[in-house]
Amino acid sequence: MGEAKRRRENAAQTVYHHSSTLRTNLIWMTGFIEVEGKSQGAIHPKLGEIKTDAITRRAMNDFPVVAWFTTKIDVPKTLTSGATLFTTDMTTGERKEIKSTSDHVNAMALNRVALGFPLARIPVVPWREYQGYSTSEGRELNESARDVGDNPDDWYVSENPVDVLNALAQHP
């Protein structure tokens, strides 16, 4: 127990980027966590491109798009409430909302993964110190997060893509 406590006390402060397993595969292939709306769509072999409607998360008007991180390894509740998953039909290009049918169960099993980064290794700033925190959109985002039990003061943001090789670094 003493060694575990010593390691925990000496560990670099870590922030986590939460993503689906499907999106995490794309992150590893490109090598970067992109800011909102800039990453490629995830391709499902039967359903085509799977997307989430980013506008359901925030309007993206009051401040630049960012990549989000949190000090909590648990998946933020804001990521699991209110988002709409949809595909784009591979033949017609038509947008189709994903429902819980047999073929769609696999697509909806977008299990969440937390990629941990030593805070000192990546270009993030605390959300509460970021320009968007106190904007109308930021206040609304903060309030909606608190309503579902999240604490926006645990969040960090980056206006730039974050290199995933920094997730492999164990010490600053």
Side-chain angles (χ1 to χ4, degrees), residues 37-52:
K38 301 292 183 188
S39 59
Q40 303 172 12
I43 305 297
H44 185 279
K46 286 189 175 183
L47 302 173
E49 188 174 14
I50 299 172
K51 299 178 181 180
T52 57

Side-chain angles (χ1 to χ4, degrees), residues 94-122:
E94 176 186 354
R95 176 181 159 149
K96 295 181 179 179
E97 188 172 325
I98 294 178
K99 307 264 188 234
S100 295
T101 63
S102 59
D103 277 342
H104 294 136
V105 171
N106 287 333
M108 290 185 73
L110 299 176
N111 299 322
R112 293 285 173 180
V113 175
L115 297 176
F117 295 84
L119 186 58
R121 292 261 184 176
I122 61 173

Side-chain angles (χ1 to χ4, degrees), residues 8 35 58 135 140 147:
R8 188 172 51 249
V35 297
R58 74 176 187 89
T135 65
E140 184 179 326
D147 286 347

Side-chain angles (χ1 to χ4, degrees), residues 125-130 133-134 152-156:
V125 296
W127 168 239
R128 68 185 169 279
E129 296 174 14
Y130 184 69
Y133 185 87
S134 59
D153 292 342
D154 294 332
W155 299 347
Y156 284 74

Side-chain angles (χ1 to χ4, degrees), residues 11-116:
Q13 186 177 2
T14 302
V15 292
Y16 301 93
H17 177 77
H18 291 271
S19 183
S20 68
T21 53
L22 192 56
R23 177 71 52 200
T24 300
N25 287 338
L26 290 172
I27 289 170
W28 284 112
M29 286 189 289
T30 63
F32 291 92
I33 294 173
E34 288 287 349
V35 297
E36 290 180 336
K38 301 292 183 188
S39 59
Q40 303 172 12
I43 305 297
H44 185 279
K46 286 189 175 183
L47 302 173
E49 188 174 14
I50 299 172
K51 299 178 181 180
T52 57
D53 193 349
I55 200 135
T56 63
R57 295 198 330 231
R58 74 176 187 89
M60 297 187 226
N61 295 320
D62 290 354
F63 54 93
V65 292
V66 293
W68 295 89
F69 297 82
T70 179
T71 58
K72 304 296 181 191
I73 196 165
D74 295 327
V75 178
K77 293 171 186 70
T78 56
L79 291 178
T80 59
S81 61
T84 302
L85 288 177
F86 64 91
T87 64
T88 304
D89 186 280
M90 293 189 307
T91 306
T92 65
E94 176 186 354
R95 176 181 159 149
K96 295 181 179 179
E97 188 172 325
I98 294 178
K99 307 264 188 234
S100 295
T101 63
S102 59
D103 277 342
H104 294 136
V105 171
N106 287 333
M108 290 185 73
L110 299 176
N111 299 322
R112 293 285 173 180
V113 175
L115 297 176

